Amino acid sequence: MSVMIGQQTLVQVEAYEQYVGAEAVARIRKKAERLQGLHITNVNSTYYGGGVAELLSSLSLLMNSVGIKTGWRVIQGSPDFFSITKKIHNALQGHSINLTERKMEIYERVVFENAVRNHLDHDLVIIHDPQPLPLITHYQKKGPWIWRCHIDLTARHPQCWNYLVSFIEQYDAVILSLQDYQQKLKTPQVFFMPAIDPFSIKNQEMREEEIEERLRHHHIPTDLPLVVQISRFDPWKDPKGVIEAFQIARQEVDCTLVLLGNVATDDPEGSQVYDQIREYRDDRIIILSEQDSALVNALQRRAAVVLQKSLREGFGLTVTEAMWKGTPVVGGKVGGIRYQIEDGVNGFLVSSVKEAADRMVKLLKNPKLRQEMGGKARESVRQNFLLTRYLEQYLDLFNSFETIYRLKI
Ligand code: UDP
């Protein structure tokens, strides 16, 4: 189900019928009817690396396919800007921060400069995460502005949060991934968990030869079972904990660990973390820094076990991506992962290195368990975590803004 545009094709929402049924697709088309021709844009701070970019690349296309003219812009920033915004990100996840006047001045000035360059006069604007948050202060709003925050806010740093609230409360709605992240705000809050695109290069079906080819290309040995974690190089993803857990597990079962990561342009910590963990490499601990979606797909398919040992995670796309491929995931018992994995049913939730090692061994030793859990994992993604569900939640939200219809008359 795709529409030809020149030599290219755009996946239509009907393509999802095979997974979510014709009724759900018809419902979505109906909800999109009143929104035809609506012009909206998304703003975030990186085109690749990280879940927000991943979501935007798929969702912006799917929204266009249902008749909503959806764009995507990225703010520019100097390294000091991104160093400050990463500190803000970390503070929202529970770290302390020394939020000085100078930091706030740089943050607000760079966002102002982006406001000058970007002429946002859309019917609706969606701003993602804290980096571009203050943009709203520089426009005459034509329609609703939504702040979509992808971060786990349960342990947010109060001073940092209070500073951001002055911007957040200028928005018409806030989207958070879970009800658990709800805040005291004047602005209405809604809760949407992210979802995955089964037709992207990262998630589409792959033939065995293609999987082999990708793994060979990156010199990944396949003689032993693979244990894989795919994550930005970020302390919150606990790559050291993954290596420690693997060191324990390998004493009981022969296996190979692959840590695949990338470095997002808005994340200055990435190269530091990569350098720190590189020293653990050996012939069975493969650490790769690559931007290769087909490799991600191949690894998630070939892995005996996928790990996502995060210490905080708003929602882990990597968890759902692997589960869609029928691979059981051992995930940190934090944030969104607790809603993505049902512990002991379609994967495992863990709170320590020891637990991670223990569940890894359990799965590595038991192919039948892997198959059973993997099957349930795929089914739970089919039911709950495909992009049509996320699209429909957005459509419901757009339809709830009365002003949108006035704009279109
Ligand atoms: N990713 C990737 N290559 C890598 C590491 C990550 O393509 O080397 C992708 C991964 O497949 C997922 C996204 O980046 O789609 C990460 O999203 P997630 O929600 O797991 O974490 P975030 O980076 O947003 O914290």
Side-chain angles (χ1 to χ4, degrees):
M1 249 350 123
S2 50
V3 164
M4 284 288 284
I5 299 169
Q7 288 306 305
Q8 303 294 328
T9 54
L10 179 65
V11 171
Q12 298 295 296
V13 69
E14 283 70 20
Y16 284 77
E17 277 185 6
Q18 60 185 307
Y19 303 127
V20 301
E23 210 177 292
V25 169
R27 202 172 57 231
I28 287 171
R29 282 278 180 203
K30 184 114 199 69
K31 287 180 179 181
E33 256 169 32
R34 291 175 79 189
L35 302 167
Q36 291 305 295
L38 194 75
H39 190 204
I40 78 175
T41 197
N42 291 273
V43 185
N44 81 322
S45 56
T46 181
Y47 270 124
Y48 71 88
V52 179
E54 183 72 22
L55 280 166
L56 281 175
S57 66
S58 290
L59 190 61
S60 56
L61 296 179
L62 197 60
M63 278 189 182
N64 276 288
S65 87
V66 296
I68 300 172
K69 292 194 271 176
T70 308
W72 173 13
R73 307 213 184 167
V74 173
I75 57 163
Q76 301 167 18
S78 50
D80 54 350
F81 171 77
F82 286 122
S83 147
I84 293 163
T85 56
K86 184 74 199 277
K87 286 191 175 87
I88 292 175
H89 176 102
N90 289 343
L92 293 181
Q93 299 208 128
H95 275 181
S96 64
I97 184 171
N98 178 16
L99 198 57
T100 57
E101 289 292 329
R102 196 190 64 84
K103 288 195 186 95
M104 291 187 276
E105 194 199 325
I106 294 174
Y107 173 51
E108 291 179 36
R109 177 190 288 247
V110 171
V111 171
F112 162 71
E113 289 167 359
N114 277 277
V116 174
R117 285 187 212 105
N118 281 281
H119 306 280
L120 303 182
D121 56 356
H122 300 74
D123 301 330
L124 196 147
V125 177
I126 309 171
I127 302 291
H128 295 261
D129 282 346
Q131 299 91 334
L133 172 68
L135 275 177
I136 193 164
T137 54
H138 304 294
Y139 294 93
Q140 272 308 85
K141 285 194 282 174
K142 184 173 159 202
W145 280 52
I146 298 167
W147 186 51
R148 197 329 177 191
C149 175
H150 298 262
I151 301 170
D152 175 347
L153 296 173
T154 42
R156 89 265 183 298
H157 185 274
Q159 186 210 352
C160 181
W161 176 253
N162 291 340
Y163 165 59
L164 298 181
V165 164
S166 61
F167 304 117
I168 297 167
E169 288 193 334
Q170 296 180 45
Y171 283 77
D172 299 281
V174 169
I175 307 175
L176 303 172
S177 292
L178 302 180
Q179 197 124 24
D180 305 27
Y181 306 156
Q182 183 164 19
Q183 300 297 316
K184 236 176 112 202
L185 284 175
K186 290 198 194 102
T187 312
Q189 297 163 69
V190 291
F191 309 96
F192 305 168
M193 279 192 269
I196 62 159
D197 173 358
F199 306 107
S200 65
I201 292 175
K202 183 168 294 172
N203 295 319
Q204 71 192 7
E205 294 302 319
M206 248 182 139
R207 290 194 315 275
E208 275 307 308
E209 313 87 83
E210 292 172 318
I211 296 174
E212 289 294 332
E213 185 279 324
R214 270 304 80 193
L215 299 179
R216 219 177 16 249
H217 180 83
H218 290 282
H219 310 289
I220 296 169
T222 51
D223 53 335
L224 296 177
L226 295 180
V227 175
V228 172
Q229 176 158 305
I230 296 165
S231 281
R232 280 181 300 109
F233 292 111
D234 181 341
W236 297 106
K237 310 287 184 184
D238 199 16
K240 278 197 182 147
V242 170
I243 295 170
E244 282 170 36
F246 175 78
Q247 302 282 29
I248 299 171
R250 81 196 306 193
Q251 289 166 23
E252 284 199 50
V253 195
D254 268 345
C255 47
T256 302
L257 173 67
V258 181
L259 273 175
L260 171 65
N262 57 8
V263 177
T265 51
D266 62 348
D267 182 359
E269 286 181 311
S271 48
Q272 242 168 291
V273 173
Y274 178 59
D275 289 342
Q276 282 163 15
I277 59 169
R278 261 159 62 102
E279 63 179 279
Y280 295 97
R281 284 196 294 191
D282 66 29
D283 60 333
R284 291 294 166 190
I285 300 183
I286 320 275
I287 300 175
L288 293 172
S289 177
E290 300 283 347
Q291 184 67 37
D292 180 344
S293 298
L295 174 64
V296 172
N297 194 338
L299 279 169
Q300 288 170 335
R301 284 181 194 282
R302 177 51 64 85
V305 181
V306 161
L307 288 176
Q308 191 54 58
K309 217 204 137 309
S310 303
L311 305 171
R312 282 261 190 284
E313 194 68 75
F315 182 93
L317 276 181
T318 49
V319 171
T320 295
E321 287 162 5
M323 289 173 76
W324 177 241
K325 288 149 195 146
T327 305
V329 180
V330 176
K333 196 177 191 171
V334 292
I337 302 178
R338 293 165 305 147
Y339 296 87
Q340 298 173 257
I341 297 176
E342 196 179 340
D343 188 31
V345 177
N346 56 21
F348 288 112
L349 292 170
V350 296
S351 301
S352 66
V353 164
K354 200 176 156 303
E355 269 181 14
D358 177 74
R359 303 302 184 276
M360 220 190 292
V361 169
K362 197 169 176 153
L363 284 163
L364 284 167
K365 282 188 172 167
N366 191 341
K368 192 156 165 279
L369 180 65
R370 294 207 294 270
Q371 206 188 6
E372 264 173 36
M373 281 194 159
K376 288 180 187 157
R378 177 163 170 111
E379 178 55 15
S380 87
V381 177
R382 188 191 67 74
Q383 286 180 19
N384 306 305
F385 295 113
L386 295 182
L387 211 52
T388 35
R389 189 262 303 147
Y390 199 38
L391 171 67
E392 190 171 355
Q393 287 176 308
Y394 266 108
L395 297 181
D396 287 340
L397 179 61
F398 298 167
N399 275 314
S400 75
F401 293 115
E402 284 298 318
T403 46
I404 290 218
Y405 306 118
R406 266 185 258 128
L407 281 169
K408 296 186 65 226
I409 292 166

